[in-house]
Amino acid sequence: MLQAGKIMAASAVRALTDPTLVIAAKTEHRKQLDGEKYVSLIPAEATLQRLR
């Protein structure tokens, strides 16, 4: 579990310090979507409720 956390943190640092990596990821994501749009199952009129 600790190793997974280290890998995730290192990936986040790399993404924050290498803008070309983020651009490449966004490009690949758009390509995989193939024109599909994400439609949220949460209604637009839904609001956050305070946690007690």
Side-chain angles (χ1 to χ4, degrees):
M1 196 71 149
L2 180 61
Q3 186 66 21
K6 288 179 181 180
I7 291 169
M8 290 170 55
S11 297
V13 168
R14 185 170 173 214
L16 291 171
T17 58
D18 185 3
T20 58
L21 181 67
V22 176
I23 292 168
K26 286 182 179 183
T27 302
E28 181 181 344
H29 181 67
R30 285 188 194 108
K31 182 179 174 186
Q32 288 181 356
L33 284 178
D34 195 31
E36 270 188 57
K37 297 281 183 185
Y38 174 77
V39 179
S40 177
L41 297 176
I42 300 172
E45 62 275 358
T47 60
L48 293 176
Q49 296 178 353
R50 287 192 169 174
L51 298 175
R52 296 180 190 179

